[in-house]
Amino acid sequence: MSSSVLLSQHPAPNPTHTTRRLYIFFSHSKNTAKMSGSNLVAMKKVVQQLRFEASINRVKVSQAAADLQQFCMQNALQDPLLTGVSSSTNPFRPQKVCSFL
Amino acid sequence: VQRSPLIPEMATQEVQLNETLAHLKTESETLKSKLEEERAKLHDVELHQVAEKVEGLGQFVMKTRRTLKGHGNKVLCMDWCKDKRRIVSSSQDGKVIVWDAFTTNKEHAVTMPCTWVMACAYAPSGCAVACGGLDNKCSVYPLSLDKNENLAAKKKSVAMHTNYLSACSFTNSDMQILTSSGDGTCALWDVESGQLLQSFHGHAADVLCLDLAPSETGNTFVSGGCDKKANVWDMRSGQCIQSFETHESDINSVRYYPSGDAFASGSDDATCRLYDLRADREVAIYSKESIIFGVSSVDFSLSGRLLFGGYNDYTINVWDVLKGTRVSILFGHENRVSTLRVSPDGTAFSTGSWDHTLRVCDDCYFFIGIKYNQNLCTFNFTPCAPDKPPLSLTATHLPKYSNLKKHIYRST
């Protein structure tokens, strides 16, 4: 019997489950070749993911930072928790002090 | 059936597999360093350097406007309703309460069949809430206008995980819910049928938090986990599009920047960090040597200029996102801050704590200066809104920072 046929005679475990249940299953096969096989599949996935991540387009931090800053500035006046920072209402203008002890 | 692995054909197969495995391992190492290289190439400047010319914010103080009391144990999670006035909160004692934050009245209360309800969310319509925790599920309760109606009777079980539910969020409609779990996965569910629409695998440990991208920027969300990673996912395909691993400990909270181009994270390593999605890297760290306790939750103000962080040392630190400096510390809670959200219109923010209460803070005072008069020391603040009175706090001796916090607390 060739080893490739042997591999195909060990189907993946298929636990019963409802369609709503998430599960993580592990291969319990004692076939060492099969175990390397599932490691291989996992490793291929990792490499595939890394290839994908390496291929995305990136911009320079200076550009990205400038955009973040611009968004802040454009929306500053509409930010109620921030209102008062704009130069028209200078918070450091001397105010009447009403002190309560 | 051949049992022995020592037959020649199998041995060859095994060797081939091992070679391929080694090959792939090398490729993965090469790709990882290439990724680092590409990211580093574009790191030409720091965010705070770009923001040098921006006007500083100065120090300011916020006031607690409402304290919501009623939970019998630690508050674990909260969410605002889109009407900017209602809040849903969940607690260790299994209770989920809907409050009117203006009046502090409790409008609805549900007792869950489990303790540690770690996640709760308000539906966009305001007509339902979702919650879950140690029961490994996410359940949706439609809110009835009839106060006498038993909400538990209409409960709908939507999500099922194999470990605790850590976070949940409706998408932009009442029809779908996104969940994250201690089982290491996130999942998208159809509320009506309970069907699993998409699952997201990639975290190597418990997923603790998630946040959906602002609707204008498309179908993505970010998750953070105990594997110190923050992953950005495509909701339709289930694929992880970007991954960031710079934190030194569990990521407890993630929140998108209002433009959708970046997100902030808070971690047990006592730092908050900002990751820009287009630059594909961390662009700022918000930390101080004096801050040694973990961050439980983060959120941005409406313009994204302020980042609020709730910490395990009972405080809230407010950061200037662009300059990287702290602009305020807020006190008031008597135990760790577990959850924090800015209201939908940005006028207030709410915090929940292990001290069993929630606080709603708004208003903003800018610290002008200190006046000394013999042995009296007066701290003066000017309000942001012109119709509010100025605030002044007086102490009989020069207070230490820790005493200052007692004064601020008493003024509320």
Side-chain angles (χ1 to χ4, degrees):
Chain A
M1 209 184 300
S2 78
S3 47
S4 55
V5 172
L6 200 66
L7 279 171
S8 67
Q9 285 186 337
H10 289 261
N14 189 13
T16 53
H17 60 280
T18 63
T19 50
R20 287 165 63 181
R21 212 163 250 290
L22 281 177
Y23 66 94
I24 303 165
F25 73 80
F26 300 94
S27 167
H28 292 299
S29 170
K30 289 187 185 150
N31 184 328
T32 52
K34 177 71 169 76
M35 272 179 80
S36 305
S38 54
N39 282 351
L40 198 68
V41 169
M43 207 57 212
K44 274 188 180 161
K45 277 197 181 146
V46 169
V47 170
Q48 219 169 15
Q49 178 66 25
L50 283 170
R51 275 192 202 139
F52 176 84
E53 285 180 30
S55 66
I56 69 170
N57 289 324
R58 292 178 191 84
V59 308
K60 283 193 181 165
V61 174
S62 49
Q63 175 66 51
D67 291 346
L68 289 176
Q69 184 179 310
Q70 190 185 35
F71 185 88
C72 276
M73 298 296 106
Q74 277 175 344
N75 293 283
L77 287 177
Q78 282 81 48
D79 187 344
L81 289 169
L82 200 63
T83 315
V85 189
S86 62
S87 48
S88 54
T89 42
N90 183 354
F92 296 101
R93 200 184 308 140
Q95 296 284 319
K96 242 188 175 169
V97 172
C98 59
S99 47
F100 44 93
L101 298 168
Chain B
V1 176
Q2 298 277 7
R3 289 244 170 98
S4 161
L6 297 175
I7 51 170
E9 292 91 347
M10 254 187 89
T12 317
Q13 185 96 5
E14 201 180 319
V15 165
Q16 280 175 356
L17 278 169
N18 284 338
E19 276 177 0
T20 322
L21 208 60
H23 209 91
L24 284 172
K25 277 202 174 126
T26 325
E27 191 179 351
S28 98
E29 292 308 310
T30 319
L31 282 168
K32 275 186 195 159
S33 45
K34 185 186 173 200
L35 208 60
E36 285 312 306
E37 228 181 88
E38 291 297 313
R39 282 173 169 170
K41 266 189 210 168
L42 298 163
H43 188 199
D44 52 347
V45 78
E46 298 291 337
L47 174 60
H48 63 84
Q49 288 172 308
V50 170
E52 248 160 27
K53 300 224 177 83
V54 174
E55 200 181 310
L57 292 177
Q59 300 281 305
F60 58 96
V61 173
M62 285 174 171
K63 273 187 117 175
T64 299
R65 291 296 178 192
R66 301 283 186 278
T67 304
L68 306 178
K69 294 187 181 165
H71 275 294
N73 212 320
K74 309 177 172 72
V75 176
L76 302 176
C77 187
M78 61 133 313
D79 192 17
W80 285 89
C81 177
K82 283 216 158 83
D83 70 1
K84 312 151 207 167
R85 108 180 239 167
R86 284 175 180 77
I87 287 177
V88 62
S89 61
S90 64
S91 159
Q92 184 195 341
D93 65 358
K95 288 238 171 32
V96 174
I97 300 179
V98 175
W99 315 78
D100 177 337
F102 285 8
T103 61
T104 75
N105 287 341
K106 298 181 202 37
E107 296 202 336
H108 299 95
V110 174
T111 306
M112 293 279 286
C114 67
T115 55
W116 288 91
V117 188
M118 292 174 246
C120 63
Y122 229 116
S125 66
C127 298
V129 292
C131 50
L134 284 188
D135 57 358
N136 299 359
K137 295 188 215 171
C138 184
S139 311
V140 175
Y141 292 85
L143 296 175
S144 167
L145 289 171
D146 179 1
K147 297 287 161 87
N148 295 326
E149 189 166 355
N150 181 12
L151 287 183
K154 293 237 170 101
K155 162 181 162 174
K156 204 184 291 184
S157 256
V158 175
M160 296 266 249
H161 281 276
T162 53
N163 211 322
Y164 64 89
L165 188 83
S166 53
C168 62
S169 173
F170 285 86
T171 59
N172 49 16
S173 81
D174 284 19
M175 297 290 95
Q176 293 180 354
I177 284 192
L178 195 57
T179 58
S180 65
S181 167
D183 66 12
T185 70
C186 299
L188 182 67
W189 309 84
D190 177 85
V191 173
E192 195 54 51
S193 63
Q195 200 188 350
L196 172 67
L197 299 171
Q198 185 63 261
S199 64
F200 306 88
H201 298 259
H203 278 287
D206 306 19
V207 187
L208 297 179
C209 51
L210 60 84
D211 191 36
L212 276 143
S215 39
E216 308 80 47
T217 51
N219 283 334
T220 60
F221 74 95
V222 60
S223 65
C226 290
D227 57 356
K228 311 174 202 168
K229 280 207 212 155
N231 290 339
V232 181
W233 307 87
D234 179 320
M235 272 169 67
R236 274 183 274 234
S237 67
Q239 166 143 46
C240 171
I241 352 180
Q242 282 170 282
S243 185
F244 305 90
E245 193 173 351
T246 59
H247 270 295
E248 293 164 20
S249 188
D250 302 359
I251 298 179
N252 297 314
S253 174
V254 286
R255 193 74 63 209
Y256 268 92
Y257 187 76
S259 72
D261 288 333
F263 69 91
S265 58
S267 162
D268 275 350
D269 67 6
T271 69
C272 301
R273 293 174 200 237
L274 187 69
Y275 298 91
D276 189 288
L277 296 172
R278 298 174 330 138
D280 189 37
R281 61 172 297 124
E282 173 193 293
V283 292
I285 306 184
Y286 307 99
S287 66
K288 268 177 120 65
E289 264 185 47
S290 54
I291 302 176
I292 56 171
F293 283 82
V295 188
S296 63
S297 49
V298 294
D299 203 355
F300 286 100
S301 70
L302 221 60
S303 65
R305 182 69 190 271
L306 300 175
L307 179 68
F308 296 88
Y311 288 69
N312 293 342
D313 63 0
Y314 315 175
T315 67
I316 297 134
N317 287 298
V318 188
W319 302 90
D320 180 332
V321 169
L322 299 180
K323 292 195 176 277
T325 52
R326 178 174 61 186
V327 294
S328 187
I329 303 188
L330 307 175
F331 304 95
H333 277 298
E334 292 162 18
N335 205 320
R336 61 166 78 174
V337 180
S338 54
T339 178
L340 185 158
R341 293 299 288 263
V342 171
S343 72
D345 61 352
T347 55
F349 69 92
S350 175
T351 56
S353 163
W354 279 18
D355 69 5
H356 310 187
T357 70
L358 293 119
R359 277 160 203 265
V360 181
C361 302
D362 69 357
D363 242 351
C364 195
Y365 287 82
F366 279 85
F367 175 57
I368 308 175
I370 309 175
K371 278 206 169 76
Y372 299 103
N373 183 6
Q374 295 180 330
N375 61 344
L376 287 174
C377 173
T378 305
F379 292 78
N380 297 316
F381 303 82
T382 185
C384 291
D387 58 325
K388 299 272 190 265
L391 175 69
S392 181
L393 305 169
T394 306
T396 53
H397 54 272
L398 183 63
K400 280 189 270 197
Y401 199 40
S402 53
N403 286 341
L404 174 61
K405 91 177 178 200
K406 285 188 202 135
H407 284 285
I408 295 169
Y409 185 22
R410 275 199 216 110
S411 81
T412 63

